[in-house]
Amino acid sequence: MKNYDLIIIGGGPAGLAAGLYAGRARISTLIIEKQKNGGQIVITSEIENYPGCLEDETGPSLIDRMVKQTEKFGVDHVFDTVTDMDLSGKEKILHCLHEDYSAKAVIIAAGANPVQIGCPGEIELSGKGVSYCATCDAAFFEDFEVYVVGGGDAAVEEAMYLTKFARKVTIIHRRNELRAAKSIQEKAFANPKLDFMWDTVVQEIRGDGLVESMVVKNVKTGELTEIFADEDDGTFGVFVFIGFKPTTEVFRGHVGMDEKGYILTDQDMHTDVPGVFAAGDIRQKSLRQVVTACADGAIAAVQAGKYIEEM
Ligand code: NAP
């Protein structure tokens, strides 16, 4: 079993910021990331609201620099998946798919994942026209039609990004008013390639190997409409951005959570377990942004440092 002073679970902005602060404090630190550093931010095409980010800053470019910063201060990184744990004692044990680890303190920064519509055909056609990542899949829809489900910041921003590729982008929103920030809405309404389908939900996505049609329902009239792919295209894209759910299943029963599964902390990121902290989108909070994730990570690392020193 490999030992560290501090283990951070999650290599998104919260985990990387925590790693930076821990590394600079000369705390022996490991960041365990499941798949790919960056969390949700690597599927974000444009970052306008992280201080210091100007035009052309993408999620991946920001994350690359954050990872390098942690490495500069001696933080170790490993790709593995936490499957079980014992956080109750002074030595925290993390069981992963490939290896087991122990640490004096743990910061949980495992983030959140996209919510699915939950309609028939969505899972089956995921990666075959249904997508949750515009940066990853937009290029596949060069000159095709694309539908974006959702009305928040993510849906509207990603819809605008998709207009750079798709022939036409239609936002399908369940109400007649967007939730997205007003500044984002202004840009969206001024975009000639962007259309809106209000008061509408997706009931079913159909296709044999690729998305071919989609049944939508007007929630006010109850009317059902089947949208077919253009005959020449044969398919279209359905990009889903309807929020996120915390990645907390594996932590259930180990730390306190609210009814939605977000981890409860105090303002210094302490969970209800001594030596266990949470940072970023995974914790109950009012604003989930890169800037708040980084702030959480910094606070959690400083508090973890104090905890380790006092042990
Ligand atoms: P969000 O703000 O929670 O918006 C989710 C949207 O999806 C809402 O419009 C919601 O409709 C709709 N929705 C939820 N469940 C649905 C369902 N089952 N069927 C159909 N529609 C559904 O989520 P988000 O846009 O992913 O953003 C998450 C957080 O990240 C927010 O705090 C956001 O500010 C932040 N974010 C910021 C930026 C940025 O500023 N650059 C970019 C991306 C994300 P209702 O409006 O009717 O509830």
Side-chain angles (χ1 to χ4, degrees):
M1 183 152 51
K2 289 195 178 159
N3 296 295
Y4 286 86
D5 281 345
L6 173 64
I7 291 180
I8 298 164
I9 305 169
L16 293 169
L20 172 64
Y21 274 70
R24 290 192 74 230
R26 304 284 182 265
I27 298 167
S28 83
T29 303
L30 172 71
I31 298 179
I32 302 177
E33 167 57 43
K34 200 180 197 171
Q35 262 176 331
K36 192 175 179 187
N37 284 313
Q40 288 168 60
I41 203 71
V42 289
I43 58 170
T44 300
S45 46
E46 201 180 330
I47 299 169
E48 269 189 337
N49 55 358
Y50 185 64
C53 281
L54 292 175
E55 271 164 39
D56 297 333
E57 181 74 273
T58 65
S61 68
L62 180 63
I63 288 300
D64 274 354
R65 295 206 306 279
M66 286 187 182
V67 171
K68 282 188 189 124
Q69 241 180 328
T70 62
E71 287 169 349
K72 182 175 155 192
F73 292 105
V75 172
D76 284 350
H77 289 258
V78 71
F79 290 101
D80 210 340
T81 303
V82 177
T83 53
D84 201 3
M85 67 204 73
D86 182 0
L87 301 176
S88 56
K90 282 196 168 166
E91 188 186 27
K92 318 290 180 196
I93 311 288
L94 295 173
H95 301 288
C96 296
L97 276 183
H98 301 297
E99 187 137 19
D100 292 344
Y101 299 92
S102 74
K104 293 173 184 157
V106 170
I107 297 176
I108 302 172
N113 274 317
V115 173
Q116 293 168 345
I117 303 171
C119 70
E122 182 185 17
I123 308 276
E124 296 83 338
L125 291 163
S126 175
K128 295 165 185 160
V130 177
S131 171
Y132 304 88
C133 174
T135 326
C136 316
D137 298 331
F140 298 128
F141 295 95
E142 184 94 51
D143 210 27
F144 280 79
E145 282 195 56
V146 157
Y147 293 83
V148 169
V149 185
D153 288 344
V156 182
E157 285 210 329
E158 299 311 305
M160 284 193 286
Y161 175 73
L162 283 157
T163 61
K164 295 178 190 172
F165 299 83
R167 184 166 74 233
K168 184 182 167 202
V169 178
T170 305
I171 290 184
I172 301 178
H173 184 36
R174 64 183 178 181
R175 291 187 295 134
N176 61 0
E177 187 181 39
L178 296 173
R179 176 182 294 279
K182 288 282 180 269
S183 63
I184 298 175
Q185 291 195 28
E186 282 163 16
K187 281 194 205 168
F189 291 135
N191 189 321
K193 282 173 85 178
L194 207 50
D195 209 351
F196 297 87
M197 200 179 273
W198 303 109
D199 300 313
T200 302
V201 293
V202 177
Q203 291 280 99
E204 186 173 349
I205 305 170
R206 295 175 176 165
D208 185 12
L210 270 184
V211 172
E212 288 163 9
S213 76
M214 171 170 68
V215 180
V216 297
K217 179 181 171 187
N218 183 304
V219 292
K220 287 205 168 141
T221 63
E223 189 188 349
L224 293 174
T225 309
E226 185 162 6
I227 300 169
F228 290 93
D230 179 277
E231 229 173 78
D232 290 336
D233 294 345
T235 188
F236 56 83
V238 184
F239 284 75
V240 182
F241 301 104
I242 57 171
F244 297 96
K245 58 171 180 250
T247 318
T248 42
E249 218 33 67
V250 74
F251 304 107
R252 205 169 281 281
H254 297 283
V255 286
M257 296 175 192
D258 68 10
E259 71 286 350
K260 289 182 179 164
Y262 288 102
I263 295 176
L264 297 168
T265 69
D266 66 9
Q267 63 174 4
D268 281 334
M269 311 303 144
H270 296 97
T271 67
D272 57 355
V273 180
V276 179
F277 305 80
D281 286 5
I282 201 160
R283 75 181 190 94
Q284 189 192 60
K285 63 197 288 194
S286 63
L287 183 64
R288 294 191 176 85
Q289 300 275 291
V290 178
V291 69
T292 59
C294 290
D296 284 3
I299 294 168
V302 170
Q303 293 299 321
K306 280 188 184 162
Y307 172 84
I308 292 164
E309 216 173 274
E310 284 164 11
M311 266 181 94

